[in-house]
Amino acid sequence: MNEALRVPVGGGVRLDADLALPSGPAGRPKGLVLFAHGSGSSRHSPRNRHVAERLQAAGLATLLADLLTLEEEREDAVTGELRFDIGLLARRLEALSDWAQTDARTEGLPTGLFGASTGAAAALVTAASLPDRVHAVVSRGGRPDLAGDRLGRVRQSTLLIVGGADPLVLDLNRQAMERLAGEKRLEIVPGATHLFEEPGALDEVARLATAWFSTYL
């Protein structure tokens, strides 16, 4: 089941979101994965939706949400500032998790976070803030360095996926690996650039993410 929602996140703000609820062996999804999109993107990101479809096929619910309102997106298109406001993005992601834990359809489901680019930093900050609720994190082409000192507080199982032809981001992820406190793994997709547009690259991201969440949720 897929449903379009407007989720309240505090301060009178509601975020557009798409919730998918596949049935697991027990009649409910095995877990819930919240998506944090990257710089200048949205819940309509074809890359994130591709990964989400693979997760749904594995019996995991997904929630893809716009972390900025339409007005904020217009402002960000001009200034480019809000996409790097990791504190704001993390607060929005945490509020989405709060909502999911009180909604009858997703209440009690073990939660994972999937973040891309700057959204990965927001996912890691959220994981550090919700150690008892978030069970696993996957980053695709992420900027974990933007999570700052929160990295050392992330104890959840964390998978960092980086393209082999994305040297700057690969270096940043290698440095972040040393600071993460919990179980962690760095997976390099050979020949892939930052957006994983090469043939088969995104399929490999989806395979790795599905295996990680299926293990830890």
Side-chain angles (χ1 to χ4, degrees), residues 40-84:
S41 188
S42 72
R43 74 187 192 282
H44 298 299
S45 161
R47 288 172 291 277
N48 282 352
R49 287 191 172 272
H50 181 81
V51 174
E53 289 171 0
R54 290 284 291 272
L55 296 177
Q56 294 156 21
L60 295 164
T62 61
L63 182 68
L64 291 92
D66 293 334
L67 297 182
L68 300 176
T69 65
L70 284 175
E71 182 178 346
E72 289 169 340
E73 286 179 359
R74 293 190 193 102
E75 176 187 342
D76 187 62
V78 175
T79 67
E81 293 178 354
L82 292 177
R83 68 189 66 183
F84 289 103

Side-chain angles (χ1 to χ4, degrees), residues 70-111:
L70 284 175
E71 182 178 346
E72 289 169 340
E73 286 179 359
R74 293 190 193 102
E75 176 187 342
D76 187 62
V78 175
T79 67
E81 293 178 354
L82 292 177
R83 68 189 66 183
F84 289 103
D85 189 340
I86 304 305
L88 171 65
L89 301 179
R91 289 192 297 274
R92 296 275 171 88
L93 192 57
E94 185 172 343
L96 289 168
S97 177
D98 290 341
W99 172 85
Q101 289 302 308
T102 60
D103 187 88
R105 293 163 293 187
T106 51
E107 181 182 7
L109 292 178
T111 298

